[in-house]
Amino acid sequence: MKALQDFRIFIETARHGSLSEVARQMDMTPAATSAAVKRLEAELGTALFVRSTRHLRLTHSGEAFLRQCQQAVALIEDAAEEVRSGESVVRGTLMLSAPSDLGRNRLIGWLDAFMAQYPDIEIRLQLSDRLSNVYHQSVDLALRYGSPPDSSLIALPIFSDNCRIACASPDYLKKHGTPENPQAFSQHNCLRFMVGDTIHSQWQFSRKEENLLVTVSGNRTADDGEAVSRWVLSGHGIAYKSRLDIARHLESGELVHLCPEWEGQPAPLNLMCADRRLLSPAVQALRAFLVEKCRE
């Protein structure tokens, strides 16, 4: 694949800043490496390098092309290896963003098990409750609740049946009483979550054909989901959390599901990315692994 070889030469030239060094490492002549770069520049109709007597540096166009070129070469090499071996090759670096609560309390353990199964995987994990910009930040994938805010993002379903539920600790309920219906939450101290300057003070519930939107208030608000979880476990109020985040606390009795006959807002968990070309065998393996873990 001559074009692929030209891409490799371009990537290595950008790394070393020297055609002669690339020629030496790839066992080629300097003329051959120079010709490969010129072919790419002619095809693209732009200069990829600024040349001096001793060094090459990328132009602005070259920097933009390098990022796409590296991804393309990695995907082609994975696909070629898959064809040669007859099976998916699960390897490479996955740059993943995830919510703080899910990330710290469940995802880290899941990723440990995933990497034990696939030892050629490297994980770079960012934990934040803000949706990472997968177009501009060093993140390939974002694990997030709800529908993608950007319709151009690709959303791979992980746990579609997840929803938010109201919960509190037995200690809080002993002191303040158990609400009989969602409307009563407005009379309790509610632990709220915020994104940026937006505080989530309206909690949605539904039962058959009936829908409720309850406005709540309280003395504790955080932009970190784990902080809200710690507050509710410590008995400071009622929280409106993803079932997936607190499932083990419900099972252990540390938290009580309030008004279980009412269903909270749907919160499907999706794995989001900006481009289908990023859906490598490693990403597909991670998705399948997470789907299985969420079902356990």
Side-chain angles (χ1 to χ4, degrees):
M1 290 184 277
K2 193 174 185 64
L4 183 60
Q5 179 74 338
D6 288 353
F7 289 154
R8 290 189 180 117
I9 290 170
F10 165 65
I11 292 170
E12 291 304 311
T13 302
R15 180 178 301 160
H16 296 287
S18 169
L19 286 166
S20 58
E21 176 63 19
V22 174
R24 185 184 67 79
Q25 291 197 7
M26 300 184 70
D27 195 23
M28 301 172 66
T29 65
T33 56
S34 178
V37 171
K38 288 179 180 178
R39 276 194 299 271
L40 281 178
E41 291 179 324
E43 181 70 23
L44 296 171
T46 187
L48 297 174
F49 293 100
V50 176
R51 293 163 172 81
S52 66
T53 54
R54 294 186 177 181
H55 189 72
L56 298 176
R57 66 174 176 84
L58 287 167
T59 62
H60 179 72
S61 296
E63 291 176 353
F65 183 62
L66 177 62
R67 293 191 292 271
Q68 302 295 330
C69 190
Q70 289 171 324
Q71 293 178 1
V73 169
L75 286 172
I76 292 171
E77 288 177 341
D78 284 348
E81 183 62 28
E82 181 178 342
V83 170
R84 285 193 291 268
S85 64
E87 59 184 16
S88 295
V89 179
V90 181
R91 67 182 180 193
T93 300
L94 296 178
M95 295 183 287
L96 174 66
S97 171
S100 63
D101 198 347
L102 179 70
R104 292 187 180 96
N105 296 302
R106 305 203 74 170
L107 182 62
I108 287 177
W110 291 347
L111 291 177
D112 287 343
F114 178 72
M115 296 173 75
Q117 185 173 339
Y118 300 104
D120 292 330
I121 289 289
E122 177 184 342
I123 297 290
R124 298 181 186 176
L125 180 62
Q126 293 184 10
L127 297 181
S128 171
D129 286 314
R130 294 195 179 193
L131 179 60
S132 297
N133 190 325
V134 295
Y135 294 107
H136 302 296
Q137 293 179 274
S138 56
V139 171
D140 295 327
L141 307 163
L143 195 63
R144 284 293 182 269
Y145 291 119
S147 301
D150 184 342
S151 61
S152 65
L153 289 174
I154 297 164
L156 305 175
I158 301 296
F159 189 40
S160 300
D161 295 333
N162 190 51
C163 66
R164 302 192 185 280
I165 65 173
C167 59
S169 71
D171 184 56
Y172 176 85
L173 298 176
K174 183 178 179 180
K175 293 178 181 177
H176 302 280
T178 300
E180 295 183 357
N181 53 61
Q183 293 97 323
F185 296 154
S186 62
Q187 306 302 315
H188 284 260
N189 192 52
C190 291
L191 310 168
R192 296 172 298 171
F193 177 71
M194 66 180 180
V195 178
D197 296 326
T198 302
I199 299 175
H200 290 196
S201 296
Q202 292 189 319
W203 296 355
Q204 299 178 28
F205 298 92
S206 62
R207 182 179 63 178
K208 296 181 180 179
E209 300 301 319
E210 189 175 1
N211 296 304
L212 290 177
L213 188 62
V214 181
T215 300
V216 301
S217 60
N219 62 5
R220 285 175 170 82
T221 303
D223 65 353
D224 183 281
E226 188 186 18
V228 175
S229 288
R230 291 189 181 187
W231 283 337
V232 71
L233 286 165
S234 298
H236 293 300
I238 296 173
Y240 190 57
K241 295 286 297 180
S242 158
R243 180 188 293 274
L244 189 59
D245 286 349
I246 60 170
R248 68 187 188 283
H249 300 305
L250 294 173
E251 293 169 3
S252 68
E254 295 173 280
L255 292 177
V256 177
H257 185 181
L258 302 177
C259 305
E261 69 277 12
W262 290 86
E263 186 171 290
Q265 182 181 13
L269 183 65
N270 295 304
L271 190 62
M272 301 179 190
C273 67
D275 195 320
R276 288 197 176 275
R277 290 173 295 179
L278 295 173
L279 303 183
S280 64
V283 173
Q284 298 288 9
L286 176 63
R287 178 197 178 189
F289 189 88
L290 293 177
V291 168
E292 186 64 28
K293 285 296 180 183
C294 288
R295 289 174 178 169
E296 290 180 355

